[in-house]
Amino acid sequence: MSRGVDWQISAFSALPLSGRLRSILHSVVEEYLLTGEPVASATIANKAGRPSFATEKLSPATIRNAMAELTERGYLSQPHTSAGRIPNASAIQYFVDSLSPSRFRRGDYSDFQRRLQQHESWHDRVEEGTHLLKDLTQNVSMSAALPSTSQVLHQVELSPLGQRQYLMIVVTADRVVHNQIITLEEDLRPEELAEIRNYINFEFSGWNLDEARRELELRLANDQHDYAALLRRVELFYHRGLLDCGFTPYVFLDGAAYLVGLDLHLTRERLRELFQTLEQKKHILRILNQYLEGAAERPAVKVGLGEAHGAMEEFSLVGIEVSLAGGAKARVAVLGPLRLNYPRVMAAVMEVGQALASTRDA
């Protein structure tokens, strides 16, 4: 018997909302996001019919019955019998999914571009975009700059550091600089380092790094090659990662201090867990990948992040993925409380994302 009742409740909750129920639900969410207080049917009735409000003019009894149905269908909760209703994450998600991102003023967008263009490398621009989002929304901002899987070599530099230590510098076409300190079993003269550097730059500048490594590996395996002596010295650096820059994302976070001032229902232990999570770049990257991959047309919004981390149940994520120089990508987002100014945050994310994409050839 209990399974039949559960099925009936589940099926009832899954039914689409009528136009009137949608309108009243949107009005409840709007009021709650504005005040943070339980919303009474009388409040909706008094505001209904105004041009800036979602609900048509209805009687308090009609609104009360609709709110009771929305509660039964799992969109609203009632803290006390005589109190108003509070929308849950599903209700807020339903409301947010109906929004269209607004736009900032044209002058603001130009300011965003100028601020980003002050930085030469694309990953520095993504980091600046993170700071920009924090300033615009007064919330936590986070981003991941994802290098292309087909990076192109611009040039290499080799510098002696002493005691058989050397600095390998690999610059890719997207202006990203990769540094690595290595130790060899022998000392090389400056002219030998110059010879290695000139050989790599002449032979492989403009090549895809993966292709350059494969070709170099073939040459190193050929003992009859005309440059056998030179290649023996090149091999010393090759086996220590020369041209092997990998696919390491750059992860940025700004505005964590804003979490302290939020009215969250978190214990000290939960708040500590939240800060520890945000301190670890791998967790930030996982969250961005989980919710933003492929979100290129409009900002993706996820209300309630409990499945990502238990301490994030009362948080929302608004973010977007954009294409950058040389096949690189960026995922930029704002992390904030459920009571977020969603239209403004969505607009900020959209504008910063578009500004980042437009500076890709800078």
Side-chain angles (χ1 to χ4, degrees), residues 232-265:
R232 187 190 67 81
R233 293 191 292 272
V234 171
E235 188 172 15
L236 298 174
F237 291 89
Y238 172 83
H239 286 305
R240 286 163 177 79
L242 182 65
L243 306 184
D244 187 15
C245 297
F247 181 72
T248 304
Y250 300 84
V251 180
F252 309 105
L253 179 82
D254 195 14
Y258 286 122
L259 296 174
V260 177
L262 295 178
D263 183 19
L264 300 171
H265 302 91

PDB file of all heavy atoms in Angstrom, residues 232-265:
ATOM      1  N   ARG A 232      72.396  13.612 -29.086  1.00  0.00           N
ATOM      2  CA  ARG A 232      72.687  12.986 -27.801  1.00  0.00           C
ATOM      3  C   ARG A 232      72.489  13.995 -26.667  1.00  0.00           C
ATOM      4  O   ARG A 232      71.975  13.661 -25.599  1.00  0.00           O
ATOM      5  CB  ARG A 232      74.121  12.448 -27.783  1.00  0.00           C
ATOM      6  CG  ARG A 232      74.432  11.638 -26.529  1.00  0.00           C
ATOM      7  CD  ARG A 232      75.907  11.336 -26.412  1.00  0.00           C
ATOM      8  NE  ARG A 232      76.683  12.555 -26.185  1.00  0.00           N
ATOM      9  CZ  ARG A 232      76.807  13.134 -24.988  1.00  0.00           C
ATOM     10  NH1 ARG A 232      76.185  12.648 -23.934  1.00  0.00           N
ATOM     11  NH2 ARG A 232      77.523  14.231 -24.863  1.00  0.00           N
ATOM     12  N   ARG A 233      72.911  15.246 -26.914  1.00  0.00           N
ATOM     13  CA  ARG A 233      72.728  16.289 -25.898  1.00  0.00           C
ATOM     14  C   ARG A 233      71.253  16.712 -25.819  1.00  0.00           C
ATOM     15  O   ARG A 233      70.729  16.985 -24.728  1.00  0.00           O
ATOM     16  CB  ARG A 233      73.611  17.495 -26.205  1.00  0.00           C
ATOM     17  CG  ARG A 233      75.106  17.192 -26.069  1.00  0.00           C
ATOM     18  CD  ARG A 233      75.937  18.445 -26.118  1.00  0.00           C
ATOM     19  NE  ARG A 233      75.919  19.070 -27.428  1.00  0.00           N
ATOM     20  CZ  ARG A 233      76.765  18.777 -28.415  1.00  0.00           C
ATOM     21  NH1 ARG A 233      77.702  17.854 -28.235  1.00  0.00           N
ATOM     22  NH2 ARG A 233      76.689  19.400 -29.587  1.00  0.00           N
ATOM     23  N   VAL A 234      70.572  16.749 -26.979  1.00  0.00           N
ATOM     24  CA  VAL A 234      69.136  17.061 -26.978  1.00  0.00           C
ATOM     25  C   VAL A 234      68.375  16.025 -26.156  1.00  0.00           C
ATOM     26  O   VAL A 234      67.436  16.345 -25.413  1.00  0.00           O
ATOM     27  CB  VAL A 234      68.589  17.109 -28.423  1.00  0.00           C
ATOM     28  CG1 VAL A 234      67.056  17.209 -28.410  1.00  0.00           C
ATOM     29  CG2 VAL A 234      69.189  18.271 -29.182  1.00  0.00           C
ATOM     30  N   GLU A 235      68.811  14.767 -26.280  1.00  0.00           N
ATOM     31  CA  GLU A 235      68.134  13.674 -25.578  1.00  0.00           C
ATOM     32  C   GLU A 235      68.163  13.861 -24.070  1.00  0.00           C
ATOM     33  O   GLU A 235      67.227  13.466 -23.357  1.00  0.00           O
ATOM     34  CB  GLU A 235      68.778  12.348 -25.961  1.00  0.00           C
ATOM     35  CG  GLU A 235      68.032  11.123 -25.445  1.00  0.00           C
ATOM     36  CD  GLU A 235      68.609   9.837 -26.014  1.00  0.00           C
ATOM     37  OE1 GLU A 235      69.732   9.865 -26.556  1.00  0.00           O
ATOM     38  OE2 GLU A 235      67.914   8.804 -25.908  1.00  0.00           O
ATOM     39  N   LEU A 236      69.225  14.476 -23.552  1.00  0.00           N
ATOM     40  CA  LEU A 236      69.302  14.734 -22.114  1.00  0.00           C
ATOM     41  C   LEU A 236      68.114  15.563 -21.634  1.00  0.00           C
ATOM     42  O   LEU A 236      67.561  15.328 -20.553  1.00  0.00           O
ATOM     43  CB  LEU A 236      70.619  15.450 -21.784  1.00  0.00           C
ATOM     44  CG  LEU A 236      71.916  14.688 -22.085  1.00  0.00           C
ATOM     45  CD1 LEU A 236      73.122  15.603 -21.845  1.00  0.00           C
ATOM     46  CD2 LEU A 236      72.011  13.434 -21.233  1.00  0.00           C
ATOM     47  N   PHE A 237      67.730  16.554 -22.440  1.00  0.00           N
ATOM     48  CA  PHE A 237      66.605  17.418 -22.085  1.00  0.00           C
ATOM     49  C   PHE A 237      65.261  16.768 -22.436  1.00  0.00           C
ATOM     50  O   PHE A 237      64.269  16.947 -21.730  1.00  0.00           O
ATOM     51  CB  PHE A 237      66.746  18.771 -22.791  1.00  0.00           C
ATOM     52  CG  PHE A 237      67.884  19.595 -22.266  1.00  0.00           C
ATOM     53  CD1 PHE A 237      69.154  19.473 -22.809  1.00  0.00           C
ATOM     54  CD2 PHE A 237      67.699  20.480 -21.218  1.00  0.00           C
ATOM     55  CE1 PHE A 237      70.212  20.217 -22.320  1.00  0.00           C
ATOM     56  CE2 PHE A 237      68.749  21.234 -20.717  1.00  0.00           C
ATOM     57  CZ  PHE A 237      70.012  21.097 -21.262  1.00  0.00           C
ATOM     58  N   TYR A 238      65.260  16.010 -23.542  1.00  0.00           N
ATOM     59  CA  TYR A 238      64.013  15.354 -23.965  1.00  0.00           C
ATOM     60  C   TYR A 238      63.493  14.426 -22.870  1.00  0.00           C
ATOM     61  O   TYR A 238      62.297  14.422 -22.555  1.00  0.00           O
ATOM     62  CB  TYR A 238      64.275  14.583 -25.263  1.00  0.00           C
ATOM     63  CG  TYR A 238      63.102  13.703 -25.684  1.00  0.00           C
ATOM     64  CD1 TYR A 238      62.030  14.248 -26.391  1.00  0.00           C
ATOM     65  CD2 TYR A 238      63.069  12.346 -25.377  1.00  0.00           C
ATOM     66  CE1 TYR A 238      60.961  13.459 -26.783  1.00  0.00           C
ATOM     67  CE2 TYR A 238      62.001  11.546 -25.749  1.00  0.00           C
ATOM     68  CZ  TYR A 238      60.955  12.107 -26.451  1.00  0.00           C
ATOM     69  OH  TYR A 238      59.894  11.330 -26.836  1.00  0.00           O
ATOM     70  N   HIS A 239      64.379  13.637 -22.277  1.00  0.00           N
ATOM     71  CA  HIS A 239      63.955  12.679 -21.262  1.00  0.00           C
ATOM     72  C   HIS A 239      63.615  13.345 -19.934  1.00  0.00           C
ATOM     73  O   HIS A 239      63.136  12.668 -19.011  1.00  0.00           O
ATOM     74  CB  HIS A 239      65.042  11.625 -21.053  1.00  0.00           C
ATOM     75  CG  HIS A 239      65.137  10.639 -22.171  1.00  0.00           C
ATOM     76  ND1 HIS A 239      64.062   9.896 -22.610  1.00  0.00           N
ATOM     77  CD2 HIS A 239      66.186  10.272 -22.973  1.00  0.00           C
ATOM     78  CE1 HIS A 239      64.424   9.118 -23.599  1.00  0.00           C
ATOM     79  NE2 HIS A 239      65.711   9.331 -23.856  1.00  0.00           N
ATOM     80  N   ARG A 240      63.842  14.621 -19.846  1.00  0.00           N
ATOM     81  CA  ARG A 240      63.458  15.362 -18.639  1.00  0.00           C
ATOM     82  C   ARG A 240      62.298  16.321 -18.908  1.00  0.00           C
ATOM     83  O   ARG A 240      62.077  17.270 -18.172  1.00  0.00           O
ATOM     84  CB  ARG A 240      64.675  16.091 -18.064  1.00  0.00           C
ATOM     85  CG  ARG A 240      65.648  15.119 -17.378  1.00  0.00           C
ATOM     86  CD  ARG A 240      67.008  15.725 -17.184  1.00  0.00           C
ATOM     87  NE  ARG A 240      67.895  14.798 -16.466  1.00  0.00           N
ATOM     88  CZ  ARG A 240      68.515  13.764 -17.042  1.00  0.00           C
ATOM     89  NH1 ARG A 240      68.335  13.529 -18.346  1.00  0.00           N
ATOM     90  NH2 ARG A 240      69.304  12.968 -16.347  1.00  0.00           N
ATOM     91  N   GLY A 241      61.571  16.027 -19.988  1.00  0.00           N
ATOM     92  CA  GLY A 241      60.301  16.716 -20.217  1.00  0.00           C
ATOM     93  C   GLY A 241      60.309  17.843 -21.218  1.00  0.00           C
ATOM     94  O   GLY A 241      59.335  18.601 -21.311  1.00  0.00           O
ATOM     95  N   LEU A 242      61.380  18.020 -22.009  1.00  0.00           N
ATOM     96  CA  LEU A 242      61.383  19.079 -23.014  1.00  0.00           C
ATOM     97  C   LEU A 242      60.238  18.860 -24.005  1.00  0.00           C
ATOM     98  O   LEU A 242      60.050  17.751 -24.516  1.00  0.00           O
ATOM     99  CB  LEU A 242      62.721  19.090 -23.760  1.00  0.00           C
ATOM    100  CG  LEU A 242      62.888  20.182 -24.814  1.00  0.00           C
ATOM    101  CD1 LEU A 242      62.888  21.562 -24.162  1.00  0.00           C
ATOM    102  CD2 LEU A 242      64.179  19.975 -25.613  1.00  0.00           C
ATOM    103  N   LEU A 243      59.454  19.893 -24.245  1.00  0.00           N
ATOM    104  CA  LEU A 243      58.278  19.900 -25.138  1.00  0.00           C
ATOM    105  C   LEU A 243      57.099  19.118 -24.563  1.00  0.00           C
ATOM    106  O   LEU A 243      56.079  18.960 -25.228  1.00  0.00           O
ATOM    107  CB  LEU A 243      58.613  19.346 -26.532  1.00  0.00           C
ATOM    108  CG  LEU A 243      59.781  19.994 -27.273  1.00  0.00           C
ATOM    109  CD1 LEU A 243      59.914  19.404 -28.664  1.00  0.00           C
ATOM    110  CD2 LEU A 243      59.617  21.500 -27.351  1.00  0.00           C
ATOM    111  N   ASP A 244      57.216  18.649 -23.322  1.00  0.00           N
ATOM    112  CA  ASP A 244      56.132  17.900 -22.701  1.00  0.00           C
ATOM    113  C   ASP A 244      55.449  18.794 -21.668  1.00  0.00           C
ATOM    114  O   ASP A 244      55.615  18.633 -20.459  1.00  0.00           O
ATOM    115  CB  ASP A 244      56.671  16.636 -22.035  1.00  0.00           C
ATOM    116  CG  ASP A 244      55.554  15.738 -21.516  1.00  0.00           C
ATOM    117  OD1 ASP A 244      54.393  15.950 -21.917  1.00  0.00           O
ATOM    118  OD2 ASP A 244      55.848  14.848 -20.706  1.00  0.00           O
ATOM    119  N   CYS A 245      54.697  19.759 -22.167  1.00  0.00           N
ATOM    120  CA  CYS A 245      54.085  20.754 -21.278  1.00  0.00           C
ATOM    121  C   CYS A 245      52.792  20.252 -20.645  1.00  0.00           C
ATOM    122  O   CYS A 245      52.304  20.824 -19.688  1.00  0.00           O
ATOM    123  CB  CYS A 245      53.810  22.049 -22.045  1.00  0.00           C
ATOM    124  SG  CYS A 245      55.322  22.816 -22.663  1.00  0.00           S
ATOM    125  N   GLY A 246      52.239  19.208 -21.223  1.00  0.00           N
ATOM    126  CA  GLY A 246      51.044  18.620 -20.643  1.00  0.00           C
ATOM    127  C   GLY A 246      49.815  19.504 -20.788  1.00  0.00           C
ATOM    128  O   GLY A 246      49.820  20.524 -21.468  1.00  0.00           O
ATOM    129  N   PHE A 247      48.735  19.075 -20.138  1.00  0.00           N
ATOM    130  CA  PHE A 247      47.449  19.758 -20.199  1.00  0.00           C
ATOM    131  C   PHE A 247      47.047  20.121 -18.773  1.00  0.00           C
ATOM    132  O   PHE A 247      46.238  19.460 -18.146  1.00  0.00           O
ATOM    133  CB  PHE A 247      46.415  18.842 -20.854  1.00  0.00           C
ATOM    134  CG  PHE A 247      45.052  19.466 -20.995  1.00  0.00           C
ATOM    135  CD1 PHE A 247      44.823  20.469 -21.916  1.00  0.00           C
ATOM    136  CD2 PHE A 247      44.011  19.037 -20.198  1.00  0.00           C
ATOM    137  CE1 PHE A 247      43.560  21.033 -22.034  1.00  0.00           C
ATOM    138  CE2 PHE A 247      42.749  19.600 -20.313  1.00  0.00           C
ATOM    139  CZ  PHE A 247      42.527  20.599 -21.231  1.00  0.00           C
ATOM    140  N   THR A 248      47.704  21.142 -18.241  1.00  0.00           N
ATOM    141  CA  THR A 248      47.478  21.537 -16.850  1.00  0.00           C
ATOM    142  C   THR A 248      46.574  22.765 -16.791  1.00  0.00           C
ATOM    143  O   THR A 248      46.975  23.852 -17.213  1.00  0.00           O
ATOM    144  CB  THR A 248      48.812  21.849 -16.150  1.00  0.00           C
ATOM    145  OG1 THR A 248      49.670  20.710 -16.255  1.00  0.00           O
ATOM    146  CG2 THR A 248      48.576  22.172 -14.686  1.00  0.00           C
ATOM    147  N   PRO A 249      45.348  22.630 -16.291  1.00  0.00           N
ATOM    148  CA  PRO A 249      44.460  23.792 -16.195  1.00  0.00           C
ATOM    149  C   PRO A 249      44.977  24.798 -15.165  1.00  0.00           C
ATOM    150  O   PRO A 249      45.636  24.429 -14.193  1.00  0.00           O
ATOM    151  CB  PRO A 249      43.128  23.192 -15.746  1.00  0.00           C
ATOM    152  CG  PRO A 249      43.243  21.726 -15.996  1.00  0.00           C
ATOM    153  CD  PRO A 249      44.692  21.398 -15.848  1.00  0.00           C
ATOM    154  N   TYR A 250      44.670  26.058 -15.398  1.00  0.00           N
ATOM    155  CA  TYR A 250      44.937  27.115 -14.429  1.00  0.00           C
ATOM    156  C   TYR A 250      43.606  27.390 -13.718  1.00  0.00           C
ATOM    157  O   TYR A 250      42.596  27.666 -14.371  1.00  0.00           O
ATOM    158  CB  TYR A 250      45.431  28.379 -15.119  1.00  0.00           C
ATOM    159  CG  TYR A 250      46.711  28.202 -15.902  1.00  0.00           C
ATOM    160  CD1 TYR A 250      46.686  27.722 -17.211  1.00  0.00           C
ATOM    161  CD2 TYR A 250      47.948  28.520 -15.342  1.00  0.00           C
ATOM    162  CE1 TYR A 250      47.868  27.564 -17.945  1.00  0.00           C
ATOM    163  CE2 TYR A 250      49.122  28.366 -16.067  1.00  0.00           C
ATOM    164  CZ  TYR A 250      49.076  27.886 -17.363  1.00  0.00           C
ATOM    165  OH  TYR A 250      50.232  27.729 -18.079  1.00  0.00           O
ATOM    166  N   VAL A 251      43.607  27.315 -12.387  1.00  0.00           N
ATOM    167  CA  VAL A 251      42.374  27.475 -11.619  1.00  0.00           C
ATOM    168  C   VAL A 251      42.507  28.701 -10.722  1.00  0.00           C
ATOM    169  O   VAL A 251      43.532  28.887 -10.057  1.00  0.00           O
ATOM    170  CB  VAL A 251      42.090  26.221 -10.764  1.00  0.00           C
ATOM    171  CG1 VAL A 251      40.805  26.398  -9.964  1.00  0.00           C
ATOM    172  CG2 VAL A 251      41.979  24.985 -11.665  1.00  0.00           C
ATOM    173  N   PHE A 252      41.458  29.529 -10.706  1.00  0.00           N
ATOM    174  CA  PHE A 252      41.495  30.784  -9.959  1.00  0.00           C
ATOM    175  C   PHE A 252      40.237  30.906  -9.094  1.00  0.00           C
ATOM    176  O   PHE A 252      39.150  30.454  -9.465  1.00  0.00           O
ATOM    177  CB  PHE A 252      41.576  31.981 -10.909  1.00  0.00           C
ATOM    178  CG  PHE A 252      42.666  31.880 -11.928  1.00  0.00           C
ATOM    179  CD1 PHE A 252      42.379  31.577 -13.252  1.00  0.00           C
ATOM    180  CD2 PHE A 252      43.999  32.058 -11.569  1.00  0.00           C
ATOM    181  CE1 PHE A 252      43.393  31.469 -14.201  1.00  0.00           C
ATOM    182  CE2 PHE A 252      45.021  31.953 -12.498  1.00  0.00           C
ATOM    183  CZ  PHE A 252      44.717  31.660 -13.819  1.00  0.00           C
ATOM    184  N   LEU A 253      40.394  31.570  -7.953  1.00  0.00           N
ATOM    185  CA  LEU A 253      39.277  31.823  -7.031  1.00  0.00           C
ATOM    186  C   LEU A 253      39.469  33.197  -6.424  1.00  0.00           C
ATOM    187  O   LEU A 253      40.580  33.593  -6.091  1.00  0.00           O
ATOM    188  CB  LEU A 253      39.239  30.760  -5.930  1.00  0.00           C
ATOM    189  CG  LEU A 253      38.133  30.919  -4.878  1.00  0.00           C
ATOM    190  CD1 LEU A 253      36.828  30.349  -5.429  1.00  0.00           C
ATOM    191  CD2 LEU A 253      38.499  30.202  -3.581  1.00  0.00           C
ATOM    192  N   ASP A 254      38.367  33.932  -6.270  1.00  0.00           N
ATOM    193  CA  ASP A 254      38.440  35.250  -5.642  1.00  0.00           C
ATOM    194  C   ASP A 254      37.136  35.508  -4.891  1.00  0.00           C
ATOM    195  O   ASP A 254      36.057  35.064  -5.311  1.00  0.00           O
ATOM    196  CB  ASP A 254      38.652  36.338  -6.705  1.00  0.00           C
ATOM    197  CG  ASP A 254      39.089  37.665  -6.099  1.00  0.00           C
ATOM    198  OD1 ASP A 254      39.473  37.679  -4.915  1.00  0.00           O
ATOM    199  OD2 ASP A 254      39.052  38.691  -6.806  1.00  0.00           O
ATOM    200  N   GLY A 255      37.238  36.211  -3.772  1.00  0.00           N
ATOM    201  CA  GLY A 255      36.045  36.629  -3.038  1.00  0.00           C
ATOM    202  C   GLY A 255      35.567  35.665  -1.970  1.00  0.00           C
ATOM    203  O   GLY A 255      34.429  35.785  -1.505  1.00  0.00           O
ATOM    204  N   ALA A 256      36.413  34.713  -1.542  1.00  0.00           N
ATOM    205  CA  ALA A 256      35.980  33.752  -0.519  1.00  0.00           C
ATOM    206  C   ALA A 256      35.568  34.448   0.780  1.00  0.00           C
ATOM    207  O   ALA A 256      34.753  33.927   1.543  1.00  0.00           O
ATOM    208  CB  ALA A 256      37.085  32.739  -0.247  1.00  0.00           C
ATOM    209  N   ALA A 257      36.100  35.626   1.018  1.00  0.00           N
ATOM    210  CA  ALA A 257      35.760  36.354   2.251  1.00  0.00           C
ATOM    211  C   ALA A 257      34.276  36.704   2.313  1.00  0.00           C
ATOM    212  O   ALA A 257      33.721  36.884   3.414  1.00  0.00           O
ATOM    213  CB  ALA A 257      36.599  37.628   2.354  1.00  0.00           C
ATOM    214  N   TYR A 258      33.607  36.786   1.165  1.00  0.00           N
ATOM    215  CA  TYR A 258      32.180  37.103   1.168  1.00  0.00           C
ATOM    216  C   TYR A 258      31.354  36.011   1.853  1.00  0.00           C
ATOM    217  O   TYR A 258      30.226  36.265   2.288  1.00  0.00           O
ATOM    218  CB  TYR A 258      31.667  37.300  -0.258  1.00  0.00           C
ATOM    219  CG  TYR A 258      32.109  38.597  -0.889  1.00  0.00           C
ATOM    220  CD1 TYR A 258      32.837  38.607  -2.077  1.00  0.00           C
ATOM    221  CD2 TYR A 258      31.797  39.821  -0.311  1.00  0.00           C
ATOM    222  CE1 TYR A 258      33.247  39.794  -2.659  1.00  0.00           C
ATOM    223  CE2 TYR A 258      32.206  41.015  -0.888  1.00  0.00           C
ATOM    224  CZ  TYR A 258      32.930  40.993  -2.062  1.00  0.00           C
ATOM    225  OH  TYR A 258      33.336  42.173  -2.635  1.00  0.00           O
ATOM    226  N   LEU A 259      31.887  34.804   1.934  1.00  0.00           N
ATOM    227  CA  LEU A 259      31.146  33.712   2.561  1.00  0.00           C
ATOM    228  C   LEU A 259      30.899  33.971   4.041  1.00  0.00           C
ATOM    229  O   LEU A 259      29.908  33.512   4.599  1.00  0.00           O
ATOM    230  CB  LEU A 259      31.915  32.394   2.392  1.00  0.00           C
ATOM    231  CG  LEU A 259      32.097  31.878   0.962  1.00  0.00           C
ATOM    232  CD1 LEU A 259      32.990  30.652   0.964  1.00  0.00           C
ATOM    233  CD2 LEU A 259      30.756  31.567   0.330  1.00  0.00           C
ATOM    234  N   VAL A 260      31.805  34.706   4.664  1.00  0.00           N
ATOM    235  CA  VAL A 260      31.698  34.934   6.101  1.00  0.00           C
ATOM    236  C   VAL A 260      30.443  35.736   6.434  1.00  0.00           C
ATOM    237  O   VAL A 260      29.797  35.507   7.461  1.00  0.00           O
ATOM    238  CB  VAL A 260      32.955  35.660   6.625  1.00  0.00           C
ATOM    239  CG1 VAL A 260      32.822  35.962   8.114  1.00  0.00           C
ATOM    240  CG2 VAL A 260      34.196  34.811   6.363  1.00  0.00           C
ATOM    241  N   GLY A 261      30.064  36.646   5.589  1.00  0.00           N
ATOM    242  CA  GLY A 261      28.933  37.512   5.880  1.00  0.00           C
ATOM    243  C   GLY A 261      27.580  36.953   5.480  1.00  0.00           C
ATOM    244  O   GLY A 261      26.559  37.600   5.704  1.00  0.00           O
ATOM    245  N   LEU A 262      27.544  35.767   4.894  1.00  0.00           N
ATOM    246  CA  LEU A 262      26.274  35.195   4.454  1.00  0.00           C
ATOM    247  C   LEU A 262      25.513  34.574   5.614  1.00  0.00           C
ATOM    248  O   LEU A 262      26.098  34.007   6.545  1.00  0.00           O
ATOM    249  CB  LEU A 262      26.518  34.132   3.379  1.00  0.00           C
ATOM    250  CG  LEU A 262      27.118  34.623   2.055  1.00  0.00           C
ATOM    251  CD1 LEU A 262      27.344  33.442   1.120  1.00  0.00           C
ATOM    252  CD2 LEU A 262      26.221  35.660   1.397  1.00  0.00           C
ATOM    253  N   ASP A 263      24.187  34.672   5.541  1.00  0.00           N
ATOM    254  CA  ASP A 263      23.319  34.081   6.563  1.00  0.00           C
ATOM    255  C   ASP A 263      23.035  32.633   6.172  1.00  0.00           C
ATOM    256  O   ASP A 263      22.003  32.313   5.575  1.00  0.00           O
ATOM    257  CB  ASP A 263      22.028  34.883   6.676  1.00  0.00           C
ATOM    258  CG  ASP A 263      21.118  34.358   7.787  1.00  0.00           C
ATOM    259  OD1 ASP A 263      21.636  33.644   8.665  1.00  0.00           O
ATOM    260  OD2 ASP A 263      19.909  34.656   7.754  1.00  0.00           O
ATOM    261  N   LEU A 264      23.991  31.758   6.477  1.00  0.00           N
ATOM    262  CA  LEU A 264      23.880  30.358   6.088  1.00  0.00           C
ATOM    263  C   LEU A 264      23.584  29.496   7.319  1.00  0.00           C
ATOM    264  O   LEU A 264      24.012  29.805   8.429  1.00  0.00           O
ATOM    265  CB  LEU A 264      25.187  29.875   5.444  1.00  0.00           C
ATOM    266  CG  LEU A 264      25.625  30.630   4.181  1.00  0.00           C
ATOM    267  CD1 LEU A 264      27.027  30.196   3.782  1.00  0.00           C
ATOM    268  CD2 LEU A 264      24.640  30.376   3.053  1.00  0.00           C
ATOM    269  N   HIS A 265      22.868  28.401   7.079  1.00  0.00           N
ATOM    270  CA  HIS A 265      22.557  27.479   8.173  1.00  0.00           C
ATOM    271  C   HIS A 265      23.641  26.399   8.228  1.00  0.00           C
ATOM    272  O   HIS A 265      23.381  25.208   8.053  1.00  0.00           O
ATOM    273  CB  HIS A 265      21.176  26.863   7.954  1.00  0.00           C
ATOM    274  CG  HIS A 265      20.083  27.879   7.859  1.00  0.00           C
ATOM    275  ND1 HIS A 265      19.671  28.427   6.665  1.00  0.00           N
ATOM    276  CD2 HIS A 265      19.331  28.477   8.829  1.00  0.00           C
ATOM    277  CE1 HIS A 265      18.691  29.300   6.891  1.00  0.00           C
ATOM    278  NE2 HIS A 265      18.475  29.357   8.192  1.00  0.00           N
TER     279      HIS A 265
END
